Amino acid sequence: SFRSYVASVGFVREGRSKYDMRKVIHSIKVGIALVLVSLLYLVDPLYNEVGKNAMWAIMTVVVLFEFFAGATLSKGINRGIGTILGGALGCIAAVLAQQIGGVGNSVLVGISIFIFGAAATYSRLIPSIKIRYDYGSMIFILTFTLVVVSGLRAEQVMDVARQRLATIGMGFGICIFTSLLVFPNWASDELHVSMATKLEHVASSIEGCLEEYFMSGSDKEKQGSNSCKNCKSVLHSKSKDEMLANFARWEPWHGKFGFSYPWNKYLQIGENLRELAVTVVSLRSCLESPRQPTKDLREPMREPCRAVVSTLSWALNELRESIMKMKKFQGGPEVLPKLKAVRVELTLLTAQVGALQKDEELAVVSFV
Amino acid sequence: SFRSYVASVGFVREGRSKYDMRKVIHSIKVGIALVLVSLLYLVDPLYNEVGKNAMWAIMTVVVLFEFFAGATLSKGINRGIGTILGGALGCIAAVLAQQIGGVGNSVLVGISIFIFGAAATYSRLIPSIKIRYDYGSMIFILTFTLVVVSGLRAEQVMDVARQRLATIGMGFGICIFTSLLVFPNWASDELHVSMATKLEHVASSIEGCLEEYFMSGSDKEKQGSNSCKNCKSVLHSKSKDEMLANFARWEPWHGKFGFSYPWNKYLQIGENLRELAVTVVSLRSCLESPRQPTKDLREPMREPCRAVVSTLSWALNELRESIMKMKKFQGGPEVLPKLKAVRVELTLLTAQVGALQKDEELAVVSFV
């Protein structure tokens, strides 16, 4: 199990350096996208075409370019829809207001800004809309207000809106090109790998529990904190998982993930793993409590405990493998009888620790 | 304890309707801010003053206005610093590039955009910067790029930058006015109250555990899910707490919170409460396991268990009170001996359930 510890450290370190590499690549990609979009200013023929509106393309690139491809796509689509909707409604409101003319014009513009602004802001506070369309609503408010007030000053609102939309489209195109086609960072890959890492973390901290419990006092504190930290990181992974799944849903077909890939299953697995992590953390605190059986009492439990833990961590690592290779997990029928047999053995040995181990098993049983 | 249940439901419902009211107020405030900033367009003397740059003020209001006052402030300060830094560096780069002239000018501009864009993007991926200055870095990239490319086309870069900054300042002023001075939503209040709610959730789910355990089978499933959900919401509150504490740090002195108020302590309390919630959730799953003592065996445990639970929930509710009233919690010396006495009693009665209860106590002891 020392080997597995080294392996897990290796895995984490490899994961981290990969992640850092990805950060560097992402930064370079943003730099390239910025230079590309600046060409609209730098190259004379292009500038003569788009003029000052090139500003909107630059703004689009800076604001849209996110770390994960899915985030960029979702923001881009939100921005597009928000701009079109806001622009269309803004034009209608501006035209209507112009029909009235005079002071009534300004008053009507003010009222429409208040109503649409407040309504769209309220929609941003509704959780289901907030998760997916928050950015779109903001852009809607922005575009609507800008178009409706420019309607008062500029004669050709439609023309301004069309040009602005075109430059935003250019910015979006550059974002999509650099984000999705050149070394893409898929949120789906991240979510996929994070599940495997979580399984590994839980398995290693179950092993850590066992080793610590049967360890001879002195080295206890060193190792414990590490495996506990891993377990806690699993415990607090909910919001990150949800964010990744949200981005993953926006990402197009690529690699091993097909259309309508069941991202919700990942969230369910994550939920189960967090429950298992709860059990492991509380098992650990039970084992650390001051009222412990003496060493003589512990000794006979060592073998069955080891059997439980090795079966569990074997099962978890198999699950990890099967997730990574995207195969169905076959071990279920093998694991359950083994665990049940050891449970009976443990129950005979001692009531107290057995109760705790059983609980852990239960979680696994419900998990498999 | 039925009364406490009703009270807790009432508390939650009151909290929710208050929250909805706050959402409506927030939406109206945004509407008002938008109308105020539109006056720059709508009123002729103002428009003659600022001209087309009024667009930047509108953009600032739409982008900056967040639900919590602290979030608006932090975004506003970020935007200000990012704009000033990006503008200053952009001006320097533009002037340097103009010294060279010709094609070298454009090349130098492109290179500087790439370097600064990539560097600032990388800084956004460093966690400690991401939490606080993410938005500022983005605005830095945006302003730098816009200023440096406009330097190629417009003669008076400085003038454009100055005007733009002035209108951004106006937008920020309107945001601050409507966000902080009119019915402010303080993130600090939210964090403060959420701690109290969490304590209440944990207390009520401990009570729920007890009632369910000694309940006669049939009604079990109805009530359980609710108190368990509360407990899980405590479990997954980490990211929300951190967000609120982050905003709260930006908020100025107001109400009962002074300067340099110890927001970190709230995070620590939250951490401890989450650990307690872990224990409660796993206690619940232990109590729900199929292998249970018969009813005759349970009966003698009823009283001591009730004593533990009532002491615990009393202590938690006292803690809640003391947080709400911001007084020091005095009950510590009373609670500990009580719990210890009951623990001894329980240990004598039965080993198994005692082990679980003990664990819970431990958490509380470490908490107090």
Side-chain angles (χ1 to χ4, degrees):
Chain A
S1 155
F2 175 72
R3 204 197 291 162
S4 85
Y5 177 74
V6 169
S8 94
V9 166
F11 185 81
V12 168
R13 192 167 295 161
E14 191 191 313
R16 176 160 298 170
S17 78
K18 237 187 206 163
Y19 194 68
D20 275 346
M21 222 23 236
R22 277 162 58 195
K23 281 184 183 174
V24 171
I25 290 176
H26 170 71
S27 308
I28 292 173
K29 276 164 64 181
V30 172
I32 291 172
L34 284 173
V35 171
L36 281 180
V37 80
S38 304
L39 290 181
L40 289 177
Y41 266 93
L42 298 180
V43 179
D44 282 323
L46 289 176
Y47 185 75
N48 294 336
E49 198 69 33
V50 292
K52 285 239 159 180
N53 281 316
M55 191 185 76
W56 290 94
I58 293 179
M59 218 177 278
T60 307
V61 168
V62 173
V63 172
L64 286 193
F65 214 116
E66 293 275 334
F67 190 69
F68 290 112
T72 304
L73 251 180
S74 105
K75 263 193 150 179
I77 293 171
N78 263 303
R79 193 180 177 100
I81 294 175
T83 307
I84 290 170
L85 268 184
L89 276 175
C91 279
I92 293 173
V95 168
L96 281 180
Q98 266 166 358
Q99 302 281 316
I100 296 178
V103 182
N105 188 345
S106 297
V107 172
L108 204 70
V109 165
I111 290 174
S112 71
I113 287 175
F114 178 78
I115 290 175
F116 280 97
T121 305
Y122 191 81
S123 83
R124 286 178 75 188
L125 297 172
I126 298 166
S128 57
I129 292 181
K130 189 182 172 61
I131 292 175
R132 290 219 173 188
Y133 307 111
D134 185 55
Y135 186 66
S137 315
M138 195 179 87
I139 292 298
F140 169 82
I141 302 174
L142 179 61
T143 314
F144 179 83
T145 313
L146 284 181
V147 168
V148 105
V149 295
S150 328
L152 292 174
R153 300 288 169 184
E155 263 65 63
Q156 312 103 322
V157 190
M158 294 298 288
D159 221 40
V160 170
R162 200 182 48 73
Q163 280 173 12
R164 216 160 265 182
L165 203 61
T167 42
I168 289 176
M170 283 177 214
F172 185 44
I174 290 173
C175 274
I176 293 295
F177 174 71
T178 32
S179 166
L180 268 73
L181 301 182
V182 187
F183 294 110
N185 274 327
W186 301 112
S188 26
D189 282 341
E190 176 86 8
L191 182 60
H192 190 73
V193 172
S194 85
M195 283 300 148
T197 316
K198 256 178 236 163
L199 278 163
E200 181 147 329
H201 280 339
V202 173
S204 75
S205 57
I206 291 177
E207 280 174 12
C209 259
L210 174 86
E211 271 174 46
E212 231 171 278
Y213 188 60
F214 292 108
M215 216 182 260
S216 51
S218 61
D219 314 304
K220 269 191 182 183
E221 275 154 42
K222 265 191 221 163
Q223 208 182 324
S225 56
N226 186 34
S227 69
C228 201
K229 210 190 283 168
N230 282 346
C231 215
K232 276 193 182 158
S233 77
V234 173
L235 213 57
H236 298 306
S237 58
K238 188 185 171 75
S239 54
K240 200 189 164 199
D241 280 3
E242 280 173 358
M243 188 195 72
L244 286 176
N246 190 22
F247 294 155
R249 284 200 196 95
W250 289 95
E251 287 177 356
W253 180 90
H254 71 275
K256 45 192 179 287
F257 309 109
F259 279 113
S260 69
Y261 193 76
W263 297 113
N264 275 329
K265 298 268 178 208
Y266 280 85
L267 293 182
Q268 282 168 24
I269 295 175
E271 207 57 53
N272 285 322
L273 277 175
R274 277 187 288 278
E275 267 171 35
L276 188 56
V278 164
T279 318
V280 173
V281 169
S282 70
L283 170 67
R284 173 178 296 276
S285 68
C286 284
L287 294 181
E288 275 168 357
S289 82
R291 226 167 33 117
Q292 288 296 338
T294 58
K295 218 175 177 197
D296 297 344
L297 275 173
R298 278 189 212 182
E299 216 38 57
M301 295 191 297
R302 187 194 276 265
E303 272 320 303
C305 279
R306 187 152 283 172
V308 172
V309 167
S310 68
T311 318
L312 276 178
S313 66
W314 175 83
L316 289 171
N317 279 322
E318 282 294 305
L319 279 171
R320 183 172 73 80
E321 286 278 300
S322 66
I323 282 185
M324 285 308 279
K325 291 179 182 159
M326 304 187 90
K327 281 180 185 162
K328 207 170 171 188
F329 177 56
Q330 306 289 355
E334 290 172 44
V335 176
L336 286 189
K338 261 196 208 172
L339 285 177
K340 275 178 190 156
V342 190
R343 179 164 86 186
V344 171
E345 200 179 331
L346 271 177
T347 318
L348 291 176
L349 269 169
T350 162
Q352 186 182 335
V353 180
L356 300 170
Q357 298 280 6
K358 183 197 64 182
D359 179 38
E360 186 182 325
E361 267 173 54
L362 266 177
V364 171
V365 168
S366 72
F367 174 66
V368 174
Chain B
S1 156
F2 176 71
R3 203 197 294 161
S4 85
Y5 177 73
V6 169
S8 94
V9 166
F11 185 82
V12 168
R13 191 167 296 160
E14 191 192 313
R16 177 160 299 170
S17 78
K18 235 187 208 163
Y19 194 67
D20 275 346
M21 222 23 236
R22 276 162 57 195
K23 281 184 183 173
V24 172
I25 290 176
H26 170 70
S27 308
I28 292 173
K29 277 163 64 183
V30 173
I32 291 172
L34 283 174
V35 172
L36 280 179
V37 79
S38 305
L39 290 180
L40 289 178
Y41 265 93
L42 297 180
V43 180
D44 282 325
L46 289 176
Y47 186 75
N48 294 337
E49 196 70 32
V50 292
K52 286 240 158 180
N53 282 316
M55 191 184 77
W56 290 94
I58 294 180
M59 216 177 280
T60 306
V61 169
V62 173
V63 172
L64 286 194
F65 214 115
E66 294 274 335
F67 190 70
F68 291 112
T72 304
L73 253 180
S74 103
K75 263 192 148 178
I77 293 170
N78 262 303
R79 194 181 175 99
I81 295 175
T83 307
I84 291 170
L85 268 184
L89 276 174
C91 279
I92 294 173
V95 168
L96 281 182
Q98 267 167 359
Q99 303 280 316
I100 296 178
V103 182
N105 188 347
S106 299
V107 171
L108 204 68
V109 166
I111 290 173
S112 72
I113 288 174
F114 178 79
I115 290 175
F116 280 96
T121 305
Y122 192 81
S123 83
R124 286 178 73 191
L125 297 171
I126 298 166
S128 58
I129 292 181
K130 187 181 174 63
I131 292 175
R132 292 218 171 189
Y133 308 109
D134 184 54
Y135 187 67
S137 315
M138 196 179 84
I139 293 297
F140 170 82
I141 302 175
L142 179 62
T143 315
F144 179 82
T145 313
L146 283 180
V147 168
V148 105
V149 295
S150 335
L152 292 174
R153 301 288 169 182
E155 263 65 63
Q156 310 103 325
V157 191
M158 292 300 285
D159 222 38
V160 171
R162 201 183 47 75
Q163 280 172 14
R164 217 160 266 182
L165 203 60
T167 43
I168 289 176
M170 284 177 212
F172 185 46
I174 291 174
C175 274
I176 293 298
F177 175 72
T178 33
S179 166
L180 267 72
L181 301 183
V182 188
F183 292 111
N185 274 326
W186 301 112
S188 27
D189 282 341
E190 174 87 8
L191 182 60
H192 190 73
V193 171
S194 86
M195 283 300 148
T197 316
K198 253 178 239 162
L199 278 162
E200 181 148 329
H201 279 340
V202 173
S204 75
S205 57
I206 291 176
E207 281 174 12
C209 260
L210 174 85
E211 274 176 43
E212 231 171 278
Y213 189 61
F214 292 108
M215 217 183 262
S216 51
S218 61
D219 314 302
K220 269 192 181 180
E221 276 155 39
K222 267 190 219 161
Q223 207 184 325
S225 56
N226 186 35
S227 67
C228 199
K229 211 191 280 170
N230 283 346
C231 214
K232 276 196 182 155
S233 77
V234 173
L235 211 58
H236 298 306
S237 57
K238 188 184 171 78
S239 54
K240 200 188 163 198
D241 280 2
E242 281 174 357
M243 188 195 72
L244 286 175
N246 190 22
F247 294 155
R249 285 200 195 95
W250 289 95
E251 287 177 357
W253 180 89
H254 71 276
K256 46 190 178 287
F257 309 108
F259 280 111
S260 68
Y261 193 75
W263 296 113
N264 276 329
K265 296 268 179 211
Y266 280 84
L267 293 182
Q268 281 168 23
I269 295 175
E271 205 59 51
N272 284 323
L273 277 175
R274 277 187 288 280
E275 266 170 36
L276 188 56
V278 164
T279 318
V280 173
V281 169
S282 70
L283 170 67
R284 174 177 296 275
S285 68
C286 285
L287 293 181
E288 276 167 356
S289 82
R291 226 166 34 115
Q292 290 295 339
T294 60
K295 219 175 174 194
D296 298 345
L297 275 174
R298 277 188 211 181
E299 215 40 55
M301 296 189 301
R302 187 193 276 266
E303 272 321 302
C305 278
R306 186 153 282 170
V308 172
V309 167
S310 68
T311 318
L312 276 177
S313 66
W314 175 82
L316 289 171
N317 280 321
E318 282 295 305
L319 280 172
R320 182 172 75 79
E321 285 279 301
S322 66
I323 283 185
M324 284 310 277
K325 290 179 182 158
M326 304 187 89
K327 280 180 185 160
K328 207 171 172 187
F329 175 57
Q330 305 289 356
E334 291 172 44
V335 176
L336 286 188
K338 262 196 206 171
L339 284 178
K340 274 180 192 153
V342 190
R343 179 164 85 185
V344 171
E345 199 178 334
L346 270 177
T347 318
L348 292 176
L349 269 168
T350 161
Q352 186 180 335
V353 181
L356 299 171
Q357 297 280 9
K358 182 197 65 184
D359 178 38
E360 185 183 326
E361 268 173 53
L362 266 177
V364 171
V365 168
S366 72
F367 173 68
V368 174

